[in-house]
mmCIF file of all heavy atoms in Angstrom:
data_model
loop_
_atom_site.group_PDB
_atom_site.id
_atom_site.type_symbol
_atom_site.label_atom_id
_atom_site.label_comp_id
_atom_site.label_asym_id
_atom_site.label_seq_id
_atom_site.Cartn_x
_atom_site.Cartn_y
_atom_site.Cartn_z
ATOM 1 N N TYR A 21 88.568 100.910 101.844
ATOM 2 C CA TYR A 21 88.726 99.712 102.690
ATOM 3 C C TYR A 21 88.189 98.489 101.955
ATOM 4 O O TYR A 21 88.777 97.398 102.020
ATOM 5 C CB TYR A 21 88.002 99.909 104.009
ATOM 6 C CG TYR A 21 88.296 98.830 105.033
ATOM 7 C CD1 TYR A 21 89.450 98.861 105.795
ATOM 8 C CD2 TYR A 21 87.415 97.767 105.216
ATOM 9 C CE1 TYR A 21 89.726 97.872 106.732
ATOM 10 C CE2 TYR A 21 87.686 96.759 106.148
ATOM 11 C CZ TYR A 21 88.837 96.817 106.890
ATOM 12 O OH TYR A 21 89.096 95.831 107.816
ATOM 13 N N ALA A 22 87.055 98.642 101.254
ATOM 14 C CA ALA A 22 86.489 97.549 100.484
ATOM 15 C C ALA A 22 87.439 97.064 99.403
ATOM 16 O O ALA A 22 87.581 95.848 99.177
ATOM 17 C CB ALA A 22 85.142 97.955 99.873
ATOM 18 N N VAL A 23 88.123 98.002 98.739
ATOM 19 C CA VAL A 23 89.105 97.637 97.711
ATOM 20 C C VAL A 23 90.247 96.839 98.350
ATOM 21 O O VAL A 23 90.692 95.814 97.817
ATOM 22 C CB VAL A 23 89.676 98.884 97.024
ATOM 23 C CG1 VAL A 23 90.885 98.529 96.167
ATOM 24 C CG2 VAL A 23 88.603 99.534 96.158
ATOM 25 N N GLY A 24 90.701 97.295 99.520
ATOM 26 C CA GLY A 24 91.763 96.584 100.215
ATOM 27 C C GLY A 24 91.355 95.161 100.596
ATOM 28 O O GLY A 24 92.136 94.220 100.424
ATOM 29 N N MET A 25 90.143 95.012 101.089
ATOM 30 C CA MET A 25 89.667 93.672 101.460
ATOM 31 C C MET A 25 89.495 92.791 100.243
ATOM 32 O O MET A 25 89.758 91.583 100.281
ATOM 33 C CB MET A 25 88.342 93.798 102.222
ATOM 34 C CG MET A 25 88.466 94.382 103.617
ATOM 35 S SD MET A 25 89.488 93.336 104.726
ATOM 36 C CE MET A 25 91.076 94.181 104.628
ATOM 37 N N ALA A 26 89.047 93.363 99.118
ATOM 38 C CA ALA A 26 88.890 92.579 97.875
ATOM 39 C C ALA A 26 90.257 92.065 97.422
ATOM 40 O O ALA A 26 90.398 90.909 96.979
ATOM 41 C CB ALA A 26 88.258 93.449 96.796
ATOM 42 N N CYS A 27 91.293 92.909 97.532
ATOM 43 C CA CYS A 27 92.642 92.491 97.167
ATOM 44 C C CYS A 27 93.149 91.378 98.095
ATOM 45 O O CYS A 27 93.775 90.415 97.668
ATOM 46 C CB CYS A 27 93.606 93.662 97.189
ATOM 47 S SG CYS A 27 93.288 94.905 95.914
ATOM 48 N N ALA A 28 92.847 91.530 99.396
ATOM 49 C CA ALA A 28 93.246 90.515 100.344
ATOM 50 C C ALA A 28 92.594 89.165 100.063
ATOM 51 O O ALA A 28 93.200 88.111 100.171
ATOM 52 C CB ALA A 28 92.921 90.965 101.787
ATOM 53 N N LEU A 29 91.316 89.210 99.691
ATOM 54 C CA LEU A 29 90.598 87.981 99.338
ATOM 55 C C LEU A 29 91.177 87.341 98.069
ATOM 56 O O LEU A 29 91.252 86.122 97.962
ATOM 57 C CB LEU A 29 89.094 88.275 99.144
ATOM 58 C CG LEU A 29 88.314 88.592 100.430
ATOM 59 C CD1 LEU A 29 86.899 89.031 100.083
ATOM 60 C CD2 LEU A 29 88.288 87.382 101.346
ATOM 61 N N ALA A 30 91.591 88.188 97.125
ATOM 62 C CA ALA A 30 92.211 87.673 95.894
ATOM 63 C C ALA A 30 93.516 86.954 96.233
ATOM 64 O O ALA A 30 93.838 85.912 95.636
ATOM 65 C CB ALA A 30 92.453 88.809 94.915
ATOM 66 N N ILE A 31 94.278 87.501 97.178
ATOM 67 C CA ILE A 31 95.506 86.848 97.632
ATOM 68 C C ILE A 31 95.182 85.486 98.239
ATOM 69 O O ILE A 31 95.876 84.486 97.982
ATOM 70 C CB ILE A 31 96.258 87.722 98.640
ATOM 71 C CG1 ILE A 31 96.777 88.983 97.968
ATOM 72 C CG2 ILE A 31 97.415 86.940 99.273
ATOM 73 C CD1 ILE A 31 97.357 90.013 98.908
ATOM 74 N N GLU A 32 94.129 85.427 99.055
ATOM 75 C CA GLU A 32 93.733 84.155 99.678
ATOM 76 C C GLU A 32 93.367 83.126 98.631
ATOM 77 O O GLU A 32 93.659 81.926 98.784
ATOM 78 C CB GLU A 32 92.554 84.393 100.647
ATOM 79 C CG GLU A 32 92.934 85.118 101.908
ATOM 80 C CD GLU A 32 93.996 84.382 102.715
ATOM 81 O OE1 GLU A 32 93.874 83.156 102.884
ATOM 82 O OE2 GLU A 32 94.965 85.022 103.145
ATOM 83 N N ARG A 33 92.729 83.549 97.546
ATOM 84 C CA ARG A 33 92.363 82.613 96.473
ATOM 85 C C ARG A 33 93.606 82.032 95.819
ATOM 86 O O ARG A 33 93.649 80.830 95.516
ATOM 87 C CB ARG A 33 91.471 83.300 95.435
ATOM 88 C CG ARG A 33 90.028 83.495 95.904
ATOM 89 C CD ARG A 33 89.130 83.835 94.745
ATOM 90 N NE ARG A 33 89.417 85.135 94.192
ATOM 91 C CZ ARG A 33 88.860 86.275 94.634
ATOM 92 N NH1 ARG A 33 88.002 86.239 95.641
ATOM 93 N NH2 ARG A 33 89.172 87.438 94.061
ATOM 94 N N ILE A 34 94.608 82.880 95.602
ATOM 95 C CA ILE A 34 95.855 82.382 95.012
ATOM 96 C C ILE A 34 96.534 81.419 95.972
ATOM 97 O O ILE A 34 97.046 80.368 95.564
ATOM 98 C CB ILE A 34 96.809 83.565 94.675
ATOM 99 C CG1 ILE A 34 96.195 84.412 93.559
ATOM 100 C CG2 ILE A 34 98.166 83.043 94.257
ATOM 101 C CD1 ILE A 34 96.977 85.675 93.251
ATOM 102 N N LYS A 35 96.527 81.747 97.251
ATOM 103 C CA LYS A 35 97.130 80.862 98.243
ATOM 104 C C LYS A 35 96.441 79.507 98.275
ATOM 105 O O LYS A 35 97.090 78.476 98.326
ATOM 106 C CB LYS A 35 97.054 81.504 99.621
ATOM 107 C CG LYS A 35 98.010 82.664 99.834
ATOM 108 C CD LYS A 35 97.704 83.460 101.068
ATOM 109 C CE LYS A 35 97.772 82.607 102.325
ATOM 110 N NZ LYS A 35 97.451 83.404 103.543
ATOM 111 N N ARG A 36 95.116 79.502 98.192
ATOM 112 C CA ARG A 36 94.379 78.238 98.182
ATOM 113 C C ARG A 36 94.694 77.435 96.916
ATOM 114 O O ARG A 36 94.785 76.221 96.960
ATOM 115 C CB ARG A 36 92.870 78.480 98.282
ATOM 116 C CG ARG A 36 92.387 78.804 99.680
ATOM 117 C CD ARG A 36 90.890 78.589 99.803
ATOM 118 N NE ARG A 36 90.163 79.468 98.886
ATOM 119 C CZ ARG A 36 89.784 80.699 99.172
ATOM 120 N NH1 ARG A 36 90.084 81.238 100.330
ATOM 121 N NH2 ARG A 36 89.114 81.416 98.290
ATOM 122 N N ARG A 37 94.833 78.140 95.783
ATOM 123 C CA ARG A 37 95.111 77.448 94.523
ATOM 124 C C ARG A 37 96.434 76.674 94.610
ATOM 125 O O ARG A 37 96.568 75.614 94.035
ATOM 126 C CB ARG A 37 95.217 78.476 93.381
ATOM 127 C CG ARG A 37 94.075 78.356 92.427
ATOM 128 C CD ARG A 37 94.271 79.030 91.087
ATOM 129 N NE ARG A 37 95.189 80.118 90.966
ATOM 130 C CZ ARG A 37 94.861 81.388 91.029
ATOM 131 N NH1 ARG A 37 93.628 81.756 91.283
ATOM 132 N NH2 ARG A 37 95.762 82.332 90.853
ATOM 133 N N HIS A 38 97.387 77.241 95.341
ATOM 134 C CA HIS A 38 98.696 76.606 95.445
ATOM 135 C C HIS A 38 98.917 75.938 96.794
ATOM 136 O O HIS A 38 100.039 75.555 97.126
ATOM 137 C CB HIS A 38 99.797 77.656 95.181
ATOM 138 C CG HIS A 38 99.796 78.193 93.777
ATOM 139 N ND1 HIS A 38 100.334 77.496 92.724
ATOM 140 C CD2 HIS A 38 99.262 79.311 93.264
ATOM 141 C CE1 HIS A 38 100.164 78.213 91.617
ATOM 142 N NE2 HIS A 38 99.512 79.324 91.914
ATOM 143 N N ASP A 39 97.847 75.801 97.566
ATOM 144 C CA ASP A 39 97.906 75.154 98.876
ATOM 145 C C ASP A 39 98.937 75.825 99.773
ATOM 146 O O ASP A 39 99.750 75.174 100.421
ATOM 147 C CB ASP A 39 98.231 73.663 98.724
ATOM 148 C CG ASP A 39 97.991 72.885 100.031
ATOM 149 O OD1 ASP A 39 97.117 73.301 100.815
ATOM 150 O OD2 ASP A 39 98.690 71.876 100.256
ATOM 151 N N LEU A 40 98.929 77.166 99.797
ATOM 152 C CA LEU A 40 99.828 77.934 100.642
ATOM 153 C C LEU A 40 99.116 78.318 101.925
ATOM 154 O O LEU A 40 98.035 78.904 101.872
ATOM 155 C CB LEU A 40 100.305 79.190 99.921
ATOM 156 C CG LEU A 40 100.975 79.005 98.559
ATOM 157 C CD1 LEU A 40 101.227 80.356 97.923
ATOM 158 C CD2 LEU A 40 102.252 78.226 98.716
ATOM 159 N N VAL A 41 99.702 77.961 103.075
ATOM 160 C CA VAL A 41 99.042 78.231 104.366
ATOM 161 C C VAL A 41 99.850 79.228 105.184
ATOM 162 O O VAL A 41 99.315 80.167 105.718
ATOM 163 C CB VAL A 41 98.835 76.911 105.140
ATOM 164 C CG1 VAL A 41 98.303 77.209 106.554
ATOM 165 C CG2 VAL A 41 97.860 75.997 104.397
ATOM 166 N N THR A 42 101.149 78.981 105.296
ATOM 167 C CA THR A 42 101.973 79.794 106.169
ATOM 168 C C THR A 42 102.757 80.837 105.386
ATOM 169 O O THR A 42 102.928 80.728 104.170
ATOM 170 C CB THR A 42 102.964 78.925 106.974
ATOM 171 O OG1 THR A 42 103.912 78.365 106.048
ATOM 172 C CG2 THR A 42 102.240 77.798 107.706
ATOM 173 N N TYR A 43 103.283 81.814 106.121
ATOM 174 C CA TYR A 43 104.097 82.857 105.483
ATOM 175 C C TYR A 43 105.358 82.262 104.862
ATOM 176 O O TYR A 43 105.775 82.651 103.779
ATOM 177 C CB TYR A 43 104.503 83.917 106.530
ATOM 178 C CG TYR A 43 105.375 85.018 105.972
ATOM 179 C CD1 TYR A 43 104.836 86.010 105.171
ATOM 180 C CD2 TYR A 43 106.746 85.031 106.245
ATOM 181 C CE1 TYR A 43 105.645 87.000 104.633
ATOM 182 C CE2 TYR A 43 107.552 86.029 105.714
ATOM 183 C CZ TYR A 43 106.990 87.008 104.920
ATOM 184 O OH TYR A 43 107.796 87.997 104.394
ATOM 185 N N SER A 44 105.948 81.278 105.525
ATOM 186 C CA SER A 44 107.149 80.620 104.986
ATOM 187 C C SER A 44 106.867 79.975 103.655
ATOM 188 O O SER A 44 107.703 79.987 102.748
ATOM 189 C CB SER A 44 107.662 79.558 105.985
ATOM 190 O OG SER A 44 108.039 80.146 107.189
ATOM 191 N N GLU A 45 105.684 79.380 103.521
ATOM 192 C CA GLU A 45 105.308 78.742 102.263
ATOM 193 C C GLU A 45 105.136 79.790 101.158
ATOM 194 O O GLU A 45 105.515 79.561 99.995
ATOM 195 C CB GLU A 45 104.019 77.947 102.432
ATOM 196 C CG GLU A 45 104.189 76.730 103.325
ATOM 197 C CD GLU A 45 102.873 76.027 103.615
ATOM 198 O OE1 GLU A 45 101.870 76.380 102.981
ATOM 199 O OE2 GLU A 45 102.855 75.148 104.467
ATOM 200 N N ILE A 46 104.553 80.927 101.493
ATOM 201 C CA ILE A 46 104.368 81.995 100.504
ATOM 202 C C ILE A 46 105.719 82.502 100.010
ATOM 203 O O ILE A 46 105.921 82.694 98.811
ATOM 204 C CB ILE A 46 103.549 83.161 101.112
ATOM 205 C CG1 ILE A 46 102.152 82.662 101.473
ATOM 206 C CG2 ILE A 46 103.455 84.325 100.137
ATOM 207 C CD1 ILE A 46 101.347 83.661 102.263
ATOM 208 N N VAL A 47 106.665 82.697 100.943
ATOM 209 C CA VAL A 47 108.010 83.160 100.560
ATOM 210 C C VAL A 47 108.690 82.140 99.670
ATOM 211 O O VAL A 47 109.279 82.486 98.630
ATOM 212 C CB VAL A 47 108.854 83.421 101.825
ATOM 213 C CG1 VAL A 47 110.307 83.708 101.427
ATOM 214 C CG2 VAL A 47 108.292 84.598 102.612
ATOM 215 N N ALA A 48 108.605 80.850 100.063
ATOM 216 C CA ALA A 48 109.216 79.793 99.245
ATOM 217 C C ALA A 48 108.593 79.733 97.859
ATOM 218 O O ALA A 48 109.289 79.585 96.858
ATOM 219 C CB ALA A 48 109.062 78.446 99.951
ATOM 220 N N PHE A 49 107.277 79.873 97.796
ATOM 221 C CA PHE A 49 106.584 79.859 96.515
ATOM 222 C C PHE A 49 107.033 80.995 95.625
ATOM 223 O O PHE A 49 107.302 80.829 94.436
ATOM 224 C CB PHE A 49 105.065 79.932 96.763
ATOM 225 C CG PHE A 49 104.243 80.136 95.504
ATOM 226 C CD1 PHE A 49 103.959 79.069 94.690
ATOM 227 C CD2 PHE A 49 103.754 81.384 95.167
ATOM 228 C CE1 PHE A 49 103.218 79.221 93.512
ATOM 229 C CE2 PHE A 49 103.000 81.561 94.016
ATOM 230 C CZ PHE A 49 102.729 80.473 93.198
ATOM 231 N N SER A 50 107.133 82.202 96.208
ATOM 232 C CA SER A 50 107.509 83.371 95.419
ATOM 233 C C SER A 50 108.937 83.271 94.890
ATOM 234 O O SER A 50 109.288 83.875 93.883
ATOM 235 C CB SER A 50 107.348 84.648 96.240
ATOM 236 O OG SER A 50 108.270 84.658 97.318
ATOM 237 N N ARG A 51 109.755 82.477 95.600
ATOM 238 C CA ARG A 51 111.148 82.308 95.165
ATOM 239 C C ARG A 51 111.315 81.090 94.236
ATOM 240 O O ARG A 51 112.428 80.795 93.815
ATOM 241 C CB ARG A 51 112.049 82.121 96.389
ATOM 242 C CG ARG A 51 112.164 83.379 97.240
ATOM 243 C CD ARG A 51 112.978 83.124 98.478
ATOM 244 N NE ARG A 51 113.129 84.336 99.271
ATOM 245 C CZ ARG A 51 113.674 84.370 100.499
ATOM 246 N NH1 ARG A 51 114.052 83.230 101.057
ATOM 247 N NH2 ARG A 51 113.765 85.488 101.160
ATOM 248 N N GLY A 52 110.225 80.380 93.991
ATOM 249 C CA GLY A 52 110.298 79.192 93.150
ATOM 250 C C GLY A 52 110.941 78.001 93.846
ATOM 251 O O GLY A 52 111.407 77.065 93.186
ATOM 252 N N GLU A 53 110.981 78.008 95.184
ATOM 253 C CA GLU A 53 111.605 76.933 95.921
ATOM 254 C C GLU A 53 110.595 75.805 96.179
ATOM 255 O O GLU A 53 109.380 76.007 96.103
ATOM 256 C CB GLU A 53 112.126 77.453 97.267
ATOM 257 C CG GLU A 53 113.181 78.556 97.114
ATOM 258 C CD GLU A 53 113.524 79.209 98.421
ATOM 259 O OE1 GLU A 53 112.891 78.855 99.442
ATOM 260 O OE2 GLU A 53 114.413 80.092 98.460
ATOM 261 N N ALA A 54 111.110 74.631 96.534
ATOM 262 C CA ALA A 54 110.244 73.481 96.842
ATOM 263 C C ALA A 54 109.489 73.766 98.142
ATOM 264 O O ALA A 54 110.060 74.282 99.111
ATOM 265 C CB ALA A 54 111.082 72.217 97.010
ATOM 266 N N LEU A 55 108.198 73.463 98.156
ATOM 267 C CA LEU A 55 107.358 73.783 99.311
ATOM 268 C C LEU A 55 107.293 72.669 100.328
ATOM 269 O O LEU A 55 106.945 72.891 101.484
ATOM 270 C CB LEU A 55 105.936 74.099 98.827
ATOM 271 C CG LEU A 55 105.799 75.355 97.962
ATOM 272 C CD1 LEU A 55 104.380 75.470 97.445
ATOM 273 C CD2 LEU A 55 106.132 76.590 98.779
ATOM 274 N N ASP A 56 107.585 71.435 99.930
ATOM 275 C CA ASP A 56 107.377 70.313 100.832
ATOM 276 C C ASP A 56 108.206 70.397 102.091
ATOM 277 O O ASP A 56 107.718 70.073 103.167
ATOM 278 C CB ASP A 56 107.670 69.000 100.102
ATOM 279 C CG ASP A 56 106.576 68.656 99.090
ATOM 280 O OD1 ASP A 56 105.436 69.080 99.305
ATOM 281 O OD2 ASP A 56 106.894 67.987 98.098
ATOM 282 N N GLU A 57 109.468 70.818 101.972
ATOM 283 C CA GLU A 57 110.314 70.923 103.165
ATOM 284 C C GLU A 57 109.748 71.923 104.150
ATOM 285 O O GLU A 57 109.789 71.737 105.360
ATOM 286 C CB GLU A 57 111.736 71.314 102.780
ATOM 287 C CG GLU A 57 112.482 70.200 102.032
ATOM 288 C CD GLU A 57 113.903 70.593 101.710
ATOM 289 O OE1 GLU A 57 114.347 71.678 102.178
ATOM 290 O OE2 GLU A 57 114.570 69.824 100.994
ATOM 291 N N VAL A 58 109.212 73.031 103.604
ATOM 292 C CA VAL A 58 108.616 74.046 104.465
ATOM 293 C C VAL A 58 107.383 73.486 105.143
ATOM 294 O O VAL A 58 107.147 73.679 106.342
ATOM 295 C CB VAL A 58 108.273 75.298 103.635
ATOM 296 C CG1 VAL A 58 107.598 76.356 104.502
ATOM 297 C CG2 VAL A 58 109.511 75.872 102.965
ATOM 298 N N ARG A 59 106.556 72.753 104.381
ATOM 299 C CA ARG A 59 105.312 72.223 104.928
ATOM 300 C C ARG A 59 105.576 71.155 105.986
ATOM 301 O O ARG A 59 104.828 71.014 106.942
ATOM 302 C CB ARG A 59 104.476 71.615 103.792
ATOM 303 C CG ARG A 59 103.849 72.666 102.894
ATOM 304 C CD ARG A 59 103.227 72.085 101.680
ATOM 305 N NE ARG A 59 102.544 73.106 100.870
ATOM 306 C CZ ARG A 59 102.361 73.047 99.583
ATOM 307 N NH1 ARG A 59 102.788 72.002 98.882
ATOM 308 N NH2 ARG A 59 101.738 74.029 98.943
ATOM 309 N N GLU A 60 106.669 70.405 105.806
ATOM 310 C CA GLU A 60 106.957 69.316 106.750
ATOM 311 C C GLU A 60 107.438 69.809 108.110
ATOM 312 O O GLU A 60 107.517 69.043 109.055
ATOM 313 C CB GLU A 60 108.018 68.398 106.151
ATOM 314 C CG GLU A 60 107.447 67.498 105.035
ATOM 315 C CD GLU A 60 108.541 66.677 104.342
ATOM 316 O OE1 GLU A 60 109.702 66.730 104.821
ATOM 317 O OE2 GLU A 60 108.222 66.024 103.361
ATOM 318 N N ARG A 61 107.748 71.109 108.208
ATOM 319 C CA ARG A 61 108.160 71.635 109.493
ATOM 320 C C ARG A 61 106.988 71.670 110.470
ATOM 321 O O ARG A 61 107.168 71.914 111.658
ATOM 322 C CB ARG A 61 108.744 73.036 109.326
ATOM 323 C CG ARG A 61 110.074 73.032 108.557
ATOM 324 C CD ARG A 61 110.519 74.442 108.269
ATOM 325 N NE ARG A 61 111.606 74.441 107.299
ATOM 326 C CZ ARG A 61 111.976 75.503 106.596
ATOM 327 N NH1 ARG A 61 111.321 76.657 106.757
ATOM 328 N NH2 ARG A 61 112.965 75.430 105.738
ATOM 329 N N GLY A 62 105.789 71.456 109.937
ATOM 330 C CA GLY A 62 104.618 71.370 110.813
ATOM 331 C C GLY A 62 104.199 72.656 111.449
ATOM 332 O O GLY A 62 104.017 72.733 112.667
ATOM 333 N N ALA A 63 104.072 73.712 110.655
ATOM 334 C CA ALA A 63 103.640 74.991 111.210
ATOM 335 C C ALA A 63 102.254 74.862 111.789
ATOM 336 O O ALA A 63 101.465 74.007 111.387
ATOM 337 C CB ALA A 63 103.653 76.052 110.112
ATOM 338 N N LEU A 64 101.955 75.716 112.753
ATOM 339 C CA LEU A 64 100.677 75.684 113.464
ATOM 340 C C LEU A 64 99.480 75.723 112.528
ATOM 341 O O LEU A 64 98.541 74.955 112.666
ATOM 342 C CB LEU A 64 100.612 76.835 114.457
ATOM 343 C CG LEU A 64 99.278 77.017 115.215
ATOM 344 C CD1 LEU A 64 99.076 75.822 116.156
ATOM 345 C CD2 LEU A 64 99.261 78.311 116.007
ATOM 346 N N ALA A 65 99.521 76.635 111.543
ATOM 347 C CA ALA A 65 98.386 76.802 110.643
ATOM 348 C C ALA A 65 98.097 75.560 109.827
ATOM 349 O O ALA A 65 96.957 75.320 109.459
ATOM 350 C CB ALA A 65 98.655 77.985 109.709
ATOM 351 N N ARG A 66 99.124 74.752 109.543
ATOM 352 C CA ARG A 66 98.880 73.529 108.764
ATOM 353 C C ARG A 66 98.533 72.358 109.673
ATOM 354 O O ARG A 66 97.701 71.516 109.334
ATOM 355 C CB ARG A 66 100.113 73.198 107.917
ATOM 356 C CG ARG A 66 99.847 72.069 106.934
ATOM 357 C CD ARG A 66 100.970 71.967 105.938
ATOM 358 N NE ARG A 66 100.956 73.041 104.954
ATOM 359 C CZ ARG A 66 100.117 73.104 103.923
ATOM 360 N NH1 ARG A 66 99.215 72.166 103.738
ATOM 361 N NH2 ARG A 66 100.169 74.105 103.090
ATOM 362 N N ARG A 67 99.154 72.278 110.836
ATOM 363 C CA ARG A 67 98.848 71.155 111.731
ATOM 364 C C ARG A 67 97.486 71.334 112.412
ATOM 365 O O ARG A 67 96.784 70.371 112.671
ATOM 366 C CB ARG A 67 99.933 71.055 112.816
ATOM 367 C CG ARG A 67 101.237 70.435 112.305
ATOM 368 C CD ARG A 67 102.245 70.287 113.435
ATOM 369 N NE ARG A 67 102.757 71.593 113.856
ATOM 370 C CZ ARG A 67 102.909 71.944 115.116
ATOM 371 N NH1 ARG A 67 102.568 71.156 116.096
ATOM 372 N NH2 ARG A 67 103.399 73.143 115.393
ATOM 373 N N HIS A 68 97.138 72.574 112.697
ATOM 374 C CA HIS A 68 95.864 72.873 113.381
ATOM 375 C C HIS A 68 95.145 74.001 112.629
ATOM 376 O O HIS A 68 95.148 75.156 113.075
ATOM 377 C CB HIS A 68 96.101 73.270 114.828
ATOM 378 C CG HIS A 68 96.918 72.281 115.596
ATOM 379 N ND1 HIS A 68 96.400 71.064 116.003
ATOM 380 C CD2 HIS A 68 98.211 72.298 115.988
ATOM 381 C CE1 HIS A 68 97.354 70.398 116.650
ATOM 382 N NE2 HIS A 68 98.457 71.119 116.653
#
């Protein structure tokens, strides 16, 4: 379980490095797509 949590924290660090908040942003990032349009949709996690 500790290994799993360490991996999850590593994912969070990568997300913070690229300013990824929502699942849609992560998918767009992994596909090499522009993130701004996704961010402008105003997902809950980014607005609040």
Side-chain angles (χ1 to χ4, degrees):
Y21 189 81
V23 169
M25 289 297 98
C27 292
L29 289 174
I31 293 172
E32 288 301 315
R33 284 195 292 272
I34 294 174
K35 287 167 59 180
R36 282 198 300 272
R37 249 197 335 264
H38 294 280
D39 193 30
L40 304 174
V41 173
T42 67
Y43 178 75
S44 297
E45 292 174 10
I46 296 171
V47 171
F49 172 79
S50 66
R51 292 175 178 172
E53 300 171 356
L55 294 173
D56 287 332
E57 290 182 7
V58 178
R59 288 170 176 153
E60 285 174 7
R61 293 173 193 162
L64 176 67
R66 189 168 288 282
R67 284 183 289 137
H68 306 287

